[in-house]
Amino acid sequence: MESRAILNADGHAEQPAPPDDARILGIESSCDETAAAVVAGGQTILSSVVASQVDIHRKYGGVVPELASREHLRQIVPVVREALGQASVALPDVSAVAVTRGPGLVGSLLVGVTYGKVLAMALGKPLIPVNHLEGHVHAVLLEAHAARRQPDLPAICLIVSGGHTILYRVIGESTKVVANHSNGRDSIQVFHYARIGGTRDDAAGEAYDKVAKMLALGYPGGPIIDQLASFGDPRAVRFGETKMRGNVHDFSFSGIKTAVFYHLRKHAELHAEIAARAEALARGEKKADALKPLCSKATLDLVASFQRAVVGDLVRRTMSAAEEYKSRSVLVSGGVAANRELRASFEEVAKREGVEVYFPSRALSTDNAAMIAAAAYPRYLAGEAADATLNAEANLPLA
Ligand code: KG4
Ligand code: ZN
């Protein structure tokens, strides 16, 4: 490759840093998505393949663990092969194998961990275990870095998905580089996390899924409620603000879910349309276009009010944490981060309060393996690796 001298701000010649050719193969199988990706230099996605099992779990209205692990077993080899093919990277050219170690469904995690372990051993490459939640943080950092945006640290991070609703402080620390692919650097920033709050009952995405189930809107509930909410009046049904005793940075979504349940019990006139939608779902209709004509104004208002209450709570508690910890940056990640009202509301409040808010693209909001490879990158450069004793950990905490 051609090497050119460039001039720095003082007019002195500077050698460009050699390209960082670390190619990390990421593998993710913590829940109901089998995913593999190749990420170069920690921030360039060469491929990201996600095989979703949503069609398998839809008729049960939630993930069935036994079916999930069986499907991961069927998908893992073709998905990894596809990711390598799309990236035009041959297995021997992979620098390291990164795999989600937890948290998640143990049977699902075991498929990825076992496969990743055997692959890394066969290739003689480092095996980097990654916490799924750290992956979600890196889904944001990956795209921010690629866009040359550098969130101010320590930042506040909200991870909000079907399984989690947690607030962390993200702290950066400079660490010595020991791996070859150093891009000329001798230090790299690694990240530490401090948990400052989280849900005491349901995760926000779980509340979306359960409310969608009660209303016969299909599975997963988030995307359809997101679409239907824009047609309703968010002030029509009043849900009281959730008060938290003790840690004010905690969340609770079971109250609002129960409020929807009692609302439906009280409004028997909504039951016929619920039965009609259940029939439509059984016929395989699942798109908002097909279900919206089967929703009365009262249902659209209920959906809009539910979403307004959840979004309001998420934004209020996250921004109050940012204020308390004097953070100038807020990161929002996980499946619910794809929600349009959540994004718009965060943008508006953050702008008013002079805080920068960072979201992943919608594709990287939900589970994927690019975020796992990106999270592994600084750990790989810092020389962290697991041995053959690595095991899946269903309840692995991030902090
Ligand atoms: O991160 P993810 O793919 O898997 C977990 O780790 O849980 O998140 C899936 C969750 C589901 O509960 C789904 O209903 C929710 O994210 N979700 C949304 C939206 N898209 C997905 N919730 C609200 N609005 C959305 N647009
Ligand atoms: Zn997730």
Side-chain angles (χ1 to χ4, degrees):
M1 176 183 269
E2 190 193 358
S3 172
R4 261 180 320 127
I6 52 173
L7 299 181
N8 65 17
D10 306 327
H12 296 118
E14 204 181 60
Q15 284 301 318
D20 181 343
D21 56 356
R23 302 269 186 273
I24 298 188
L25 169 66
I27 297 173
E28 154 66 34
S29 71
S30 65
C31 190
D32 61 341
E33 261 108 20
T34 320
V38 181
V39 175
Q43 63 183 41
T44 307
I45 301 176
L46 301 182
S47 66
S48 179
V49 177
V50 180
S52 170
Q53 305 177 0
V54 80
D55 287 334
I56 292 169
H57 302 289
R58 179 170 282 123
K59 61 174 172 288
Y60 306 98
V63 179
V64 182
E66 289 77 7
L67 297 183
S69 14
R70 198 186 308 163
E71 193 59 17
H72 283 305
L73 273 175
R74 273 174 18 91
Q75 293 288 357
I76 191 104
V77 172
V79 164
V80 168
R81 198 174 288 151
E82 175 78 19
L84 291 165
Q86 281 186 19
S88 301
V89 170
L91 265 181
D93 300 330
V94 161
S95 318
V97 177
V99 66
T100 303
R101 175 188 183 191
L105 300 169
V106 73
S108 292
L109 287 165
L110 270 171
V111 177
V113 167
T114 309
Y115 183 74
K117 199 153 68 172
V118 170
L119 194 59
M121 279 169 65
L123 295 171
K125 305 285 171 152
L127 172 68
I128 322 284
V130 174
N131 184 306
H132 179 80
L133 299 168
E134 181 171 35
H136 277 301
V137 178
H138 278 264
V140 191
L141 296 176
L142 164 94
E143 290 180 320
H145 292 162
R148 304 271 172 267
R149 289 176 79 203
Q150 205 63 254
D152 214 33
L153 296 179
I156 294 294
C157 181
L158 169 69
I159 295 177
V160 58
S161 68
H164 308 278
T165 301
I166 318 185
L167 278 172
Y168 291 106
R169 280 184 88 216
V170 181
I171 302 144
E173 187 202 359
S174 184
T175 297
K176 206 165 161 290
V177 165
V178 301
N180 284 332
H181 304 279
S182 60
N183 200 16
R185 278 166 300 180
D186 53 16
S187 70
I188 177 94
Q189 194 171 44
V190 291
F191 300 88
H192 300 285
Y193 307 89
R195 188 185 190 279
I196 56 178
T199 185
R200 295 187 191 167
D201 39 59
D202 292 353
E206 193 180 351
Y208 267 95
D209 295 339
K210 288 178 177 169
V211 164
K213 195 170 181 178
M214 283 184 233
L215 288 168
L217 290 172
Y219 174 83
I224 183 106
I225 291 181
D226 188 0
Q227 289 176 66
L228 295 179
S230 58
F231 299 102
D233 175 1
R235 290 153 310 180
V237 183
R238 289 198 56 82
F239 294 101
E241 226 178 81
T242 312
K243 300 258 184 312
M244 303 306 296
R245 282 177 206 273
N247 185 358
V248 292
H249 303 304
D250 277 350
F251 298 89
S252 167
F253 295 104
S254 73
I256 184 167
K257 174 196 70 186
T258 311
V260 173
F261 175 80
Y262 283 113
H263 182 91
L264 292 176
R265 223 160 73 164
K266 202 164 122 199
H267 292 272
E269 72 278 12
L270 298 178
H271 296 183
E273 61 177 280
I274 291 177
R277 288 194 298 269
E279 274 176 34
L281 290 175
R283 287 195 304 272
E285 311 269 19
K286 53 187 183 203
K287 297 245 162 68
D289 292 353
L291 295 172
K292 185 177 163 260
L294 301 174
C295 295
S296 62
K297 178 169 181 326
T299 292
L300 295 173
D301 286 352
L302 176 62
V303 159
S305 304
F306 162 78
Q307 172 155 296
R308 177 62 54 90
V310 173
V311 164
D313 197 69
L314 290 169
V315 173
R316 202 167 38 247
R317 287 184 202 280
T318 306
M319 295 309 291
S320 95
E323 192 182 344
E324 181 173 329
Y325 289 95
K326 303 197 178 0
S327 290
R328 312 306 313 152
S329 295
V330 165
L331 320 177
V332 186
S333 192
V336 182
N339 187 273
R340 288 172 298 182
E341 187 173 336
L342 184 79
R343 285 175 179 246
S345 181
F346 259 118
E347 300 279 5
E348 189 196 315
V349 179
K351 195 167 170 196
R352 205 168 55 223
E353 299 188 4
V355 169
E356 287 270 349
V357 59
Y358 296 81
F359 287 97
S361 59
R362 285 165 78 99
L364 288 198
S365 295
T366 46
D367 290 348
N368 65 85
M371 68 186 197
I372 302 302
Y377 175 71
R379 299 186 178 279
Y380 164 67
L381 289 189
E384 276 184 40
D387 61 23
T389 61
L390 179 73
N391 215 339
E393 282 191 48
N395 298 313
L396 184 70
L398 181 55

